[in-house]
Amino acid sequence: MVRSATRPPAGLPGLQDRFSRIVDAPGVGADAGTRRGWHLLDTGPALAQLGIEPAGTVLAVHGNPTWSYLWRALANESLAAAESGGTAWRVVAVDQLDMGFSERTDVRRTLEQRILDLGALTDELALEGRVVSLGHDWGGVVAFGWAVRHPELLTAVASLNTAVDQPSDLPIPAALRLARFGPVLRASTSTSPAFLQTTLALANPPLSAEVKGAYATPYLDRASRLGIEQFVADIPVDEDTESHDALLEVSSGVAKLEVPALLLWGPRDPIFTDLYLGDLMRRLPHAEVHRFEGAGHLIAEDTPYATHLLTWLDDVAAGRARRREQPANSPAAGSSPSSAPMWAALDQHRDDPSVAALEMGRGTDGAPLAVSWRQLAARVDELAAGLSAVGVRRGDRVSLLVQPGVTLTAVVYACLRIGAVVVVADAGLGVKGLSRAVRGAWPDVVIGQVPGLTAAKVLGWPGLRISATSIPASSRAALGVAHSLAEVAELGRGAALPEAPGPDDLAAVLFTSGSTGPAKGVVYTHQQLQAVRDTLRDTYGVTADSGLVTGFAPFALLGPALGTRSVTPDMDVTSPRTLTATAVADAVIAADARIVFLSPAAILNVVATRDGLDAAQRAALERVQTFLSTGAPIGARLLDDACALMPNAEAHTPYGMTECLLVTDIDREGISAAALAPDDGVCVGAPIGSNVVRISALDSSGAARGQPSAEPGVLGEIVISAPHLKERYDRLAMTDRAAARELPSEGRWHRTGDVGHLDDEGRLWVEGRLPHVFVTADGPLAPVGTEQDLETLPWVRRAAVVGVGPAGTAQAVAVLETREPTRRVRVAEAALADALRASTTHPLAAAFIVPELPTDIRHNSKIDRSALAAWAERALSGERVSAP
């Protein structure tokens, strides 16, 4: 049944009626000789009324069963940006024929026909150069098809969840598979609104009834839903589908596009999984990619995608967006491509029988298992050649779900040697966080012990499975294991190694702790990892004779690269507070170590368990020459307690983060000197080597807007530059942009998300995290200074200060752990509250005493102040609350 194009009814939520227009375009292909009516959302006339010439046109194509309403936020925000003086982009969002409010025809529309249709429309609109194609769902294929055929107009491509290829060995999702056959097809797509309703139900959070109604408005009867049925029937799932050849043309054409590309992705999509994202990334290796955690198929409804898209479009307009001909990796500022590779020490010591690495408790009768340099070098070579033999190639991602020890060490260096990208996400993220991290990295290979392989199977992680240990055949089959590491090593024994990777090749994806949101993958190149090694070695004088004990996971694997023997104490490295003083001492004895590297939470328990040390263990700790604590700032009192255990050690507390593991450094003498200064916060010392630290000042709203400066005494976001600064975040292009916002174009810079200030001597003082700053009537307040004041009281073990109330008038509330633990939440008694207020110059509205402050899993030390602020607000409102 033919129906003319119409405008949507007025008043649909979020849709500006002035954007709707009807355009007649000539029919093409099966429609030749006709004219067809299209409904569009078009901001062009509104821009013309304002006298604004657009930088270009965004051609937005919806999928099935949505319509141009999907793009309303983009239309609204782009016009608002133009009105406020920003870059102006015209948005033309089409309703495909037989969809939305465009004409209903009597023609069966295949993929080829829809691409031709769109081309006829853009000809009618007389679009000129600088067109950005944008699509979602099967509209993404149509948009890409248009882009491939209109290179003279194309300036960039962007897409939300879509696919341009259906692998022959992968079935389409079950829901679509069922919907495509026999009576189910018609019953689910056109006879009833089931397909539409199911799609709308994928939104997260759920759509309001009004928005659902708006999406359903053009599809109220069977005749209006025939286009939905045809779209599903036309999905090119195999070679027998009529649109298969058209899809092949699109997919091959996409791989030749050289224009800037942006892929915005909802990883919770049950239809277009990350497998399809990986395919698009291989075809568009220069594309910027951002995965919105929590978003799914209806990503345009799940997340403020339009804001991010417009930010990228600003770069497209300015010529800053990356094109295919530009390299994916830029050299790290100040780094030397000639720096020795990470495995250089293994090559140098391959005939050395002395100890390279130890694993506590793995030897005979519970003794340490010692591995020589000769053994480790040979094992690394075997595994490297063996991994190459089973198909692991340079650039492939290898997720390692193996407990720290010599096995993990050997696998890491084998991967580095062949150019495979090591993906390190530890169990300290928790099951949910670990699964999110691994799936986000989308590995090609998973190497794990049974618990990790079981999680990979149950949670549907991708990748070739290799077991770290030999397991029964039945377990191998159940877990989908293709090889064991022993088999891989046997394949590689005596085999030639492939060509080594270069300094700009990607080396690792390391995940942040997730203490301030979902854990982020941090990408390092080989030269950046080399710079981390070199900085650590040069700053702390690491030599072959040093010996290294590390209870801090990010550095647990650096011993072989540093050319010194190394050992991880007997502990759960994903839970630092499981480390005891005796475990540290035993590790020092085993490695004859002179350097000990721990996290603050580990130190807390080491100090608490010091009474368990015997004379030999105490003597061993007295031989330690260098003691390092990193992962979070450490108070002077705790550092003093640790120094009492290692009285001859030079104590350092370097400041860094996963994105840049070593930024500044301060020793115990420096901490003592800083204690006399009036500054708020934790003094973390001066920048190491060629590192640079600047401050982006906070404005009155608490936002970091100031130009990065070395001016002392200014509270703001800490901004850094270093040779070993990360390459980028993994598949988080918009997070990368935010981290580099308003920073110098020369060199490589990063907004840390930490707040603090520089003093007159150029030392950095950390005062908290940017999201934890709250704005009082006196201006922005960072929490750490007040917390330090409170922790001077002898009965306070740990303090957190959070803001409660509206921004601009927020009140400071203290939440405390006491040295004598409490079993329940209570409001501080009058005498205690008076003592707290007297200890600080910052007013406190209230104080709570709790059994334990909530911390992140990995460090057991980073307090989740955002969650704590919400808890305190509920408690102050009279709500009955349990411990935070």
Side-chain angles (χ1 to χ4, degrees):
M1 178 186 297
V2 176
R3 291 185 184 178
S4 299
T6 62
R7 298 175 185 270
L12 296 182
L15 184 64
Q16 297 191 47
D17 299 334
R18 59 176 172 157
F19 295 158
S20 282
R21 59 181 293 209
I22 304 297
V23 174
D24 285 334
V28 289
D31 254 351
T34 67
R35 294 192 68 83
R36 296 299 189 187
W38 293 71
H39 169 253
L40 319 176
L41 301 182
D42 186 357
T43 63
L47 289 171
Q49 284 185 346
L50 295 169
I52 297 174
E53 182 69 25
T57 300
V58 179
L59 178 64
V61 187
H62 67 86
N64 186 30
T66 56
W67 54 288
S68 57
Y69 185 72
L70 182 80
W71 307 110
R72 66 194 183 283
L74 179 60
N76 295 338
E77 290 186 34
S78 65
L79 185 61
E83 289 173 331
S84 63
T87 306
W89 285 90
R90 176 187 181 187
V91 174
V92 175
V94 306
D95 282 2
Q96 297 195 61
L97 293 175
D98 293 322
M99 302 290 289
F101 288 92
S102 285
E103 183 174 335
R104 295 302 190 266
T105 73
D106 54 3
V107 173
R108 180 172 172 273
R109 315 201 93 78
T110 61
L111 174 59
E112 173 66 18
Q113 182 64 43
R114 291 190 177 280
I115 295 172
L116 292 174
D117 290 340
L118 188 59
L121 174 66
T122 56
D123 287 346
E124 181 69 22
L125 292 173
L127 293 187
E128 298 178 352
R130 299 188 69 80
V131 176
V132 178
S133 73
L134 170 66
H136 170 249
D137 186 77
W138 294 107
V141 185
V142 176
F144 274 126
W146 181 93
V148 166
R149 298 185 188 186
H150 294 80
E152 73 285 357
L153 298 179
L154 193 67
T155 196
V157 293
S159 77
L160 312 186
N161 291 39
T162 191
V164 295
D165 181 50
Q166 178 59 46
S168 58
D169 58 346
L170 181 74
I172 64 172
L176 284 180
R177 199 161 58 245
L178 178 64
R180 290 186 72 253
F181 289 102
V184 175
L185 171 62
R186 179 156 295 175
S188 63
T189 56
S190 61
T191 302
S192 78
F195 188 83
L196 170 65
Q197 292 170 349
T198 300
T199 302
L200 298 179
L202 295 176
N204 180 44
L207 300 177
S208 68
E210 293 76 16
V211 170
K212 282 185 179 179
Y215 272 114
T217 300
Y219 302 118
L220 296 179
D221 57 35
R222 181 179 179 277
S224 63
R225 292 192 291 264
L226 286 176
I228 297 176
E229 177 184 331
Q230 289 183 10
F231 238 131
V232 174
D234 189 53
I235 295 173
V237 297
D238 52 38
E239 295 180 358
D240 296 329
T241 310
E242 184 176 352
S243 289
H244 180 262
D245 290 346
L247 182 65
L248 282 181
E249 181 189 344
V250 173
S251 60
S252 61
V254 166
K256 299 174 185 176
L257 292 175
E258 298 181 350
V259 296
L262 177 67
L263 306 175
L264 301 180
W265 206 262
R268 294 183 55 174
D269 190 342
I271 309 300
F272 298 107
T273 67
D274 277 10
L275 177 70
Y276 297 102
L277 173 61
D279 175 73
L280 284 168
M281 290 175 66
R282 283 187 290 273
R283 297 175 192 277
L284 296 166
H286 62 294
E288 295 185 56
V289 180
H290 190 91
R291 298 171 77 257
F292 293 93
E293 289 297 341
H297 181 69
L298 285 178
I299 178 176
E301 299 294 340
D302 295 350
T303 191
Y305 81 97
T307 301
H308 300 290
L309 177 61
L310 289 169
T311 299
W312 176 75
L313 286 172
D314 283 345
D315 281 354
V316 171
R320 296 187 300 263
R322 195 165 66 199
R323 304 174 68 90
R324 183 183 291 268
E325 60 266 31
Q326 295 176 338
N329 304 318
S330 57
S335 65
S336 170
S338 62
S339 178
M342 294 293 286
W343 57 88
L346 289 169
D347 287 344
Q348 294 166 6
H349 294 276
R350 63 174 50 256
D351 295 321
D352 187 347
S354 64
V355 173
L358 300 103
E359 190 167 342
M360 301 302 293
R362 286 285 309 281
T364 306
D365 297 326
L369 172 66
V371 176
S372 71
W373 287 100
R374 178 187 298 158
Q375 291 170 319
L376 184 58
R379 190 63 167 179
V380 168
D381 284 352
E382 291 169 356
L383 289 173
L387 288 170
S388 182
V390 300
V392 182
R393 298 289 179 260
R394 181 184 301 189
D396 283 353
R397 295 184 170 210
V398 181
S399 178
L400 301 178
L401 306 174
V402 182
Q403 286 292 325
V406 293
T407 297
L408 178 60
T409 300
V411 173
V412 166
Y413 285 88
C415 290
L416 292 175
R417 173 60 185 80
I418 64 174
V421 181
V422 175
V423 178
V424 181
D426 63 58
L429 297 175
V431 173
K432 183 177 180 180
L434 179 61
S435 181
R436 183 191 294 120
V438 175
R439 288 187 65 85
W442 204 258
D444 302 284
V445 183
V446 175
I447 301 177
Q449 291 158 320
V450 170
L453 293 172
T454 302
K457 179 70 173 180
V458 172
L459 298 173
W461 298 343
L464 173 75
R465 311 290 167 81
I466 298 175
S467 62
T469 57
S470 296
I471 58 177
S474 57
S475 298
R476 287 179 64 139
L479 297 175
V481 171
H483 311 280
S484 70
L485 279 181
E487 294 164 351
V488 169
E490 181 63 30
L491 285 171
R493 194 159 295 135
L497 289 168
E499 181 182 355
D504 289 335
D505 284 325
L506 300 187
V509 180
L510 311 179
F511 278 84
T512 62
S513 66
S515 58
T516 55
K520 298 183 286 292
V522 178
V523 177
Y524 277 87
T525 64
H526 279 266
Q527 68 176 339
Q528 288 155 3
L529 282 187
Q530 291 158 203
V532 172
R533 174 203 60 199
D534 296 347
T535 301
L536 184 62
R537 179 196 62 211
D538 297 343
T539 303
Y540 303 111
V542 182
T543 68
D545 296 326
S546 296
L548 175 65
V549 172
T550 176
F552 186 60
F555 291 103
L557 298 168
L558 280 176
L562 290 163
T564 194
R565 59 191 173 278
S566 58
V567 60
T568 298
D570 185 10
M571 64 178 295
D572 178 357
V573 294
T574 67
S575 181
R577 57 185 167 193
T578 62
L579 182 62
T580 63
T582 57
V584 173
D586 288 343
V588 169
I589 293 169
D592 190 21
R594 297 295 182 267
I595 301 177
V596 174
F597 210 146
L598 304 176
S599 69
I603 296 168
L604 198 64
N605 201 54
V606 167
V607 168
T609 57
R610 58 190 163 187
D611 291 344
L613 293 168
D614 61 25
Q617 291 167 332
R618 289 183 183 278
L621 292 177
E622 289 174 1
R623 294 194 295 272
V624 174
Q625 298 172 351
T626 305
F627 162 61
L628 308 172
S629 170
T630 192
I634 181 172
R637 186 165 61 190
L638 179 57
L639 188 60
D640 284 341
D641 289 341
C643 288
L645 285 174
M646 293 170 275
N648 297 311
E650 185 178 274
H652 291 262
T653 62
Y655 162 72
M657 59 221 64
T658 309
E659 294 87 343
C660 190
L661 291 166
L662 294 165
V663 178
T664 68
D665 179 71
I666 190 169
D667 59 17
R668 184 66 191 90
E669 183 178 339
I671 292 174
S672 297
L676 302 176
D679 300 71
D680 282 340
V682 176
C683 184
V684 294
I688 295 170
S690 61
N691 297 354
V692 179
V693 176
R694 295 289 183 263
I695 301 296
S696 174
L698 302 184
D699 63 17
S700 59
S701 70
R705 299 290 185 190
Q707 285 297 308
S709 166
E711 183 180 350
V714 174
L715 177 65
E717 184 176 12
I718 299 168
V719 176
I720 62 173
S721 178
H724 50 283
L725 177 63
K726 67 169 174 63
E727 176 68 13
R728 63 176 181 268
Y729 288 115
D730 188 40
R731 304 179 183 184
L732 292 171
M734 300 306 144
T735 306
D736 268 327
R737 287 173 181 273
R741 175 182 55 83
E742 298 172 1
L743 295 181
S745 57
E746 301 81 18
R748 299 171 59 252
W749 293 82
H750 173 69
R751 289 182 176 271
T752 65
D754 290 335
V755 291
H757 69 276
L758 295 167
D759 64 17
D760 291 331
E761 299 178 33
R763 297 175 302 186
L764 176 64
W765 295 72
V766 178
E767 300 184 60
R769 291 286 296 170
L770 187 58
H772 301 155
V773 171
F774 53 95
V775 182
T776 70
D778 296 323
L781 180 64
V784 170
T786 308
E787 292 168 355
Q788 287 182 305
D789 292 341
L790 302 180
E791 288 171 354
T792 61
L793 296 172
W795 51 273
V796 175
R797 181 174 183 267
R798 205 160 46 154
V801 173
V802 298
V804 173
T809 59
Q811 303 292 308
V813 174
V815 187
L816 312 169
E817 286 180 21
T818 53
R819 291 196 174 273
E820 291 296 326
T822 184
R823 294 185 176 181
R824 60 182 179 82
V825 175
R826 71 180 198 271
V827 176
E829 297 84 351
L832 298 184
D834 289 343
L836 291 168
R837 292 188 174 97
S839 71
T840 181
T841 59
H842 301 294
L844 293 177
F848 292 94
I849 296 173
V850 299
E852 189 175 39
L853 290 169
T855 60
D856 68 296
I857 298 173
R858 179 186 290 176
H859 299 97
N860 302 140
S861 58
K862 293 184 177 180
I863 298 169
D864 187 346
R865 292 177 181 84
S866 298
L868 202 57
W871 175 89
E873 188 150 0
R874 294 197 305 272
L876 288 173
S877 69
E879 183 178 329
R880 187 181 182 90
V881 293
S882 57

